[in-house]
Amino acid sequence: MADSPSFEQRTPVDFAIIGSGAAGGILARELSVAGFDVVLFEQGKYRKAADFTHDEYSVLINSELLGGGTRVNGHTFRHDASEIATSPRMPAIRYAQTVGGSSVHFSANFLRLRPSDFKERSMLGPISGTNFADWPLTYEELEPYYTKVEWEMGVSGAPGPFDAPRSRPFPMPPLPIKSCGVLFEKGAKAIGLHSQVQPHAILSKPMNGRAACMQCGHCMFFGCEVNAKSSTLAAMIPLAEASGHCEIRAESAVFRIETNSAGRASEVLYYDASGKQQAQRVKAVIVSANGAESARLLLMSASDQHPDGLANSSGFVGRNLMFNAHATANAVFERPLNEFKGVQASRLVHDFYESDDKRGFYGGGGIDARALWSSTPILHALRGMPPDVRAWGKDFKDAFAYNFTRQMTLASSTTSLAMDRNNITLDPTNTDQWGRPALRATYRDHDDDLAMARFLQDRSMEILDAAGAKKAWADPVHATDGGEHLLGTCRMGDDPASSVVDRYHRSHDVKNLFMCDGGSMVTSGRGQPTMTIMALAFRAAQHIAAAARAGNI
């Protein structure tokens, strides 16, 4: 892009932002438009809308947008510290490596947290064996930034009966209801539940030169070739570049943040596209690489001054990893539903959002009706078929041909309690393609989160029965083996002993170092965290810019 600068590496830029996704892309736009010089680092490629395809073999099997998967990145996973971590075929830590990050490939179901999410610890009391805590800010403080996300990114929707208060209406109407949404409404109403519109970070009408959704059906895990999905790639990064103050430095894998003798972040070290080591001098650094990669980078940046990792005097870097627990229930109906068309979900139920002691366990969540396994043929063949259908031969082919157009899924999303045992660490033996220590994820769900997932799955089966399903089955709920929601690993808080950044995302340990992404979150919410991550980024950008203007960085 003609207006994009190329900054001199030996001259300190105002901000180096590491990660271009839901948080990093917003921070880059806000700070560059405010007149600060920004280098935005992204380890993946700079793909534009025209580069995205519907090639599900490349995207889903060969992990094209995920950087090639575990055969390239070396990620490992284990359920607890007694196990030897291994590299699964399906990456356990799933995030897009491309400019725009995971906002490019997410399904774009887009929900706010509720007021209770920010103060549940005070409301419910402690939960043994966890780091359950209140946020250092309230819903009311974040609400203006939720609204800013909706109006600046582009969100389609309508209020639901249990939604948190909002200061402005949605900027555009909901996307059309799908067949699964119609059946879901029927079943939910029959058992006394309240179906509501699923909001989306997808345009239902043209906005800011971007086209409306064309109902192609390739939202989940795919990039949007018409820029209808409100990724930072589509909505924020073009504005950052147009400011003349932002350089997108793609295919640049950061491996270390250096600090000087004064204890300040001074330089970002990275590998360029050819694998050569490079360095960018900086006045300040913002780490927004996601809740797994941000923690890894801080741990890799250990030094004599910071022996346990940069910004880790609390020991909380990498701890409290949260994924959100999930459950699915599937059904086949008599008539074709054609769920491969349109967005993933168009209706949801939030009757069970709040925690309720009568259930006998902590947690709450929602249920939505979606295509899921039936969104693409290969995915349906691999994951979507009923368990009583053998996976080969004529019976399989006949069942596939019948079910693919008649099948839908009810997906439940619930909590993930923060615990020491769930964490991101550096793998002691594996490395990635650049030779950096690989990510090692250790994760086993809290029993309450799994109990809540099963509770929602039971309600889902009741809804499917009431909707008239010919055949329904529930996928087993078991310990999670990975996720896309990478939360809690650099949590925000007022107490430096139990958090990594303060309420404005500044490191407690290093004055000119900030972290803002899913790792900042203190609790997991009930699923779909991206809107909260974006709201936090808008809020952080405002405070960081004010501090920089005041000479307080």
Side-chain angles (χ1 to χ4, degrees):
M1 189 169 180
D3 292 326
S4 298
S6 180
F7 292 113
E8 166 60 43
Q9 290 174 295
R10 307 316 297 163
T11 301
V13 292
D14 294 317
F15 293 99
I17 301 175
I18 301 165
S20 63
I26 286 172
L27 284 153
R29 197 291 292 264
E30 292 291 276
L31 293 172
S32 60
V33 168
F36 296 102
D37 289 339
V38 173
V39 174
L40 181 60
F41 287 92
E42 168 57 52
Q43 65 182 348
K45 295 179 180 180
Y46 196 164
R47 298 174 175 88
K48 303 294 181 71
D51 298 320
F52 298 122
T53 74
H54 291 175
D55 184 344
E56 61 175 315
Y57 189 83
S58 177
V59 172
L60 299 179
I61 306 301
N62 286 338
S63 301
E64 175 190 340
L65 297 183
L66 276 62
T70 53
R71 66 183 182 277
V72 176
N73 61 40
H75 291 181
T76 60
F77 179 84
R78 59 186 182 177
H79 280 300
D80 58 61
S82 68
E83 298 178 0
I84 297 174
T86 59
S87 292
R89 174 65 183 83
M90 175 64 164
I93 303 293
R94 298 185 282 272
Y95 56 90
Q97 292 187 29
T98 191
V99 172
S102 292
S103 71
V104 167
H105 81 167
F106 76 146
S107 298
N109 300 324
F110 219 56
L111 296 163
R112 300 181 177 202
L113 297 188
R114 290 194 188 172
S116 58
D117 284 302
F118 296 87
K119 55 185 180 182
E120 272 196 308
R121 170 63 171 78
S122 293
M123 294 169 57
L124 304 176
I127 298 176
S128 178
T130 76
N131 292 320
F132 191 40
D134 288 343
W135 290 56
L137 68 159
T138 64
Y139 173 82
E140 289 73 22
E141 289 177 81
L142 199 57
E143 196 284 331
Y145 303 98
Y146 277 129
T147 295
K148 189 175 178 69
V149 172
E150 289 173 348
W151 284 83
E152 297 211 16
M153 296 297 298
V155 177
S156 306
F162 308 111
D163 284 4
R166 57 175 51 247
S167 56
R168 292 183 74 182
F170 283 93
M172 58 189 73
L175 286 150
I177 190 169
K178 298 181 61 170
S179 300
C180 64
V182 172
L183 291 167
F184 183 65
E185 283 194 337
K186 175 185 175 182
K189 184 177 181 180
I191 65 171
L193 302 178
H194 304 80
S195 174
Q196 66 183 79
V197 166
Q198 169 68 66
H200 290 95
I202 297 174
L203 306 186
S204 62
K205 62 181 183 181
M207 176 182 176
N208 295 339
R210 294 163 50 206
C213 178
M214 64 179 186
Q215 307 295 319
C216 73
H218 284 71
C219 297
M220 185 175 70
F221 289 125
F222 291 83
C224 181
E225 66 267 42
V226 298
N227 277 337
K229 191 186 292 187
S230 294
S231 63
T232 55
L233 174 69
M236 292 283 110
I237 287 170
L239 302 178
E241 288 192 283
S243 74
H245 290 281
C246 182
E247 176 189 349
I248 311 299
R249 205 167 286 177
E251 297 182 79
S252 297
V254 176
F255 65 90
R256 186 175 181 83
I257 300 168
E258 289 281 18
T259 53
N260 59 24
S261 58
R264 294 172 58 83
S266 58
E267 204 166 32
V268 169
L269 308 184
Y270 64 99
Y271 296 108
D272 64 18
S274 66
K276 184 179 178 181
Q277 290 190 24
Q278 303 285 356
Q280 175 66 57
R281 290 184 177 172
V282 297
K283 296 179 183 177
V285 177
I286 305 173
V287 183
S288 297
N290 73 47
E293 285 282 19
S294 291
R296 175 169 72 148
L297 176 58
L298 296 177
L299 294 173
M300 287 192 297
S301 299
S303 65
D304 290 342
Q305 288 178 306
H306 305 279
D308 297 319
L310 191 59
N312 196 26
S313 64
S314 64
F316 269 61
V317 169
R319 286 164 64 181
N320 303 308
L321 175 64
M322 298 178 287
F323 281 154
N324 291 117
H326 299 281
T328 51
N330 315 282
V332 178
F333 286 82
E334 181 180 0
R335 294 186 175 88
L337 310 181
N338 296 327
E339 287 302 305
F340 58 87
K341 300 178 182 180
V343 294
Q344 270 288 311
S346 58
R347 291 296 184 272
L348 76 153
V349 157
H350 263 169
D351 293 67
F352 308 110
Y353 191 97
E354 303 292 351
S355 194
D356 185 348
D357 288 341
K358 294 177 182 177
R359 298 183 196 130
F361 44 82
Y362 163 77
I367 305 168
D368 65 47
R370 60 171 68 193
L372 197 59
W373 318 127
S374 303
S375 56
T376 63
I378 293 178
L379 188 61
H380 186 86
L382 293 175
R383 297 291 300 273
M385 295 296 288
D388 60 349
V389 175
R390 67 185 182 186
W392 57 277
K394 185 177 185 301
D395 290 347
F396 176 83
K397 292 178 182 179
D398 290 346
F400 177 92
Y402 185 86
N403 287 13
F404 179 60
T405 57
R406 292 171 172 82
Q407 195 166 308
M408 60 178 271
T409 295
L410 298 191
S412 301
S413 298
T414 182
T415 46
S416 179
L417 280 161
M419 293 183 286
D420 287 336
R421 76 186 189 201
N422 294 336
N423 52 62
I424 295 292
T425 53
L426 303 180
D427 191 280
T429 56
N430 274 28
T431 58
D432 66 15
Q433 66 268 46
W434 294 285
R436 302 179 300 179
L439 275 167
R440 180 175 64 183
T442 305
Y443 195 91
R444 187 179 296 277
D445 307 76
H446 192 280
D447 288 346
D448 283 11
D449 297 324
L450 294 177
M452 188 66 210
R454 294 186 183 99
F455 172 88
L456 292 172
Q457 186 181 67
D458 290 344
R459 305 294 80 72
S460 297
M461 292 295 287
E462 292 168 3
I463 292 170
L464 291 170
D465 181 64
K470 286 184 61 178
K471 178 178 184 176
W473 65 98
D475 297 315
V477 175
H478 49 67
T480 303
D481 57 5
E484 296 79 22
H485 301 174
L486 310 173
L487 313 175
T489 55
C490 295
R491 68 176 358 177
M492 62 195 313
D494 295 328
D495 183 358
S498 59
S499 60
V500 179
V501 295
D502 68 14
R503 66 194 323 270
Y504 301 117
H505 298 269
R506 191 196 296 260
S507 161
H508 291 300
D509 299 349
V510 181
K511 186 176 181 181
N512 67 335
L513 175 66
F514 301 82
M515 280 80 78
C516 182
D517 55 29
S520 303
M521 293 178 64
V522 180
T523 57
S524 67
R526 272 66 172 155
Q528 293 83 45
T530 309
M531 188 179 195
T532 298
I533 295 168
M534 289 184 171
L536 290 171
F538 274 120
R539 179 178 176 273
Q542 179 180 327
H543 289 284
I544 293 169
R549 292 191 193 100
N552 192 26
I553 290 181

